[in-house]
Structure formats: structure tokens, C-alpha cells
Amino acid sequence: MTSPLSSPLPGSVLDLAPVVPVVVIEDAADAVPLARALVAGGLPAIEVTLRTPVALDAIRAIAADVPDAVVGAGTVITPEQVKESVAAGARFLVSPGWTDVLLEAMRGSGVPFLPGVSTASEVVGLLERGVREMKFFPAEAAGGTAYLKSLAGPLPQARFCPTGGIGAGNASDYLALPNVGCVGGTWMLPADAVAARDWGRVEALAREAAGLRQRR
């Protein structure tokens, strides 16, 4: 099921960059210039959420026209969306939560995936099923850095990409945790900059976000 436009990732999704931009694209024409700005700023892993009618078209365009981008699909909640996303060129999948049915579909997709968790029981459930890399969502509402610190002791084998309520002001706090590989967020994509197609501003904000790893 792997798209012919895709190639294997050079390692874990969690290790591609300190920040994964979470992108909601309303106009498919914005997909390629937006992705190019993020990649130029040092953020190659781009999660396009399946929240708009043009999301799959956006993934398809980025996969075809921005070879340095590692485009993924977010808000994946059904097996059908798994198939559609991979067919469009998604190289990783992200879900806000998981069920056995969804997990089976993601596991069979041929691409890496980050199922969402917000409780210790959900983490244990995934570990039982051989999954060690997860999305922690909604990060701030579910307990934030204090909760993740508490999980690190009994469940050190689990690694997370926290998303939800994370911005420039608190991203470094998450990235300092031993069980956090990267964070997801939207702060490098302010609505006014995207509306104005100010890709230079997006690139500058992406570069600041990419530098968070070095400032830990």
C-alpha cells in the first residue's frame, strides 16, 4: 500500500525535527508554498490534518512537488482514511486516539504511525501491542509536562510527540523530557500569515522552532 511517491523514512518520525507543524489547509493552492517554507526553515516533517475537504489533495501535491518534505496525515480516525492518506502520498499517520480496528489498519499501511493516547492505560495497551511511539493528546489538557514526567518512570520504553496547547512558550519544556522525541504545534503558521501568503514569515518562525532542539 506504500505510495510510489514515498520512500522509507530514515528513522523514527520523532527524530526528524524537534517540531512537527500541524497544518490545516483550506486552499489546496497553499499546500506546496507552505510546505516549501516549512522545509526551508528546517521543519521537514509536516502533518496535514484531514479536517478539510482539500486535505488529501494537499498531501498529494506536497508529496509530488516538495521532495524534501516528509508529509504525513493527521486526524486519521478510520481505516478508510488510512488507505486514502497513504494512496495520496502520506509517509506517516497520526491519530488523536486509537482502537484495535484503527491500529490494525495503521499497522498494515506500510508507513510509520503515531496513535494518540492521553492515559497510562492507553499507553500500556499500545505497549502490549508492540507500539512504542505515540502521540500524547491533548497534551496540556491531559496533564502536560507533569503527566509525561510521571509516565517516564514506570513506562520508560514509551516515546511521545505531545500535541495540543503547545506553543513557542512551552515547547522547550516538553522537549527537555527524556520520553519526548518531538512536539506538534501550529504556532509557526499564524492565521494572518497564511491568509496573506506570507511564506517568508512562516519560514522565519519555522527556523526558530527548528532551533529549539539546540537550546534545550
Side-chain angles (χ1 to χ4, degrees), residues 3 24-25 34 60 62 67 72-73 89 94 105 108 113 133-134 150 168 171 177 188 204 212:
S3 165
V24 180
I25 294 181
L34 185 152
R60 195 172 291 111
I62 294 170
V94 184
F113 55 92
E133 297 189 343
M134 313 165 194
S150 297
L177 300 176
M188 72 298 299
L212 289 173

Side-chain angles (χ1 to χ4, degrees), residues 73-146:
T75 322
V76 176
I77 58 174
T78 68
E80 185 63 26
Q81 287 178 327
V82 170
K83 294 178 183 177
E84 292 172 341
S85 298
V86 175
R91 295 176 64 190
F92 65 93
L93 305 169
V94 184
S95 68
W98 67 276
T99 65
D100 280 320
V101 171
L102 180 59
L103 190 65
E104 181 180 358
M106 291 194 292
R107 198 191 294 274
S109 69
V111 301
F113 55 92
L114 297 173
V117 297
S118 60
T119 70
S121 294
E122 290 168 336
V123 175
V124 171
L126 286 178
L127 291 174
E128 284 182 348
R129 291 160 175 81
V131 178
R132 297 192 175 199
E133 297 189 343
M134 313 165 194
K135 171 178 178 172
F136 180 61
F137 175 82
E140 283 289 282
T145 55

Side-chain angles (χ1 to χ4, degrees), residues 10 15 48 73 128 138 148 198:
D15 297 326
V48 177
E128 284 182 348
L148 285 171
D198 187 352

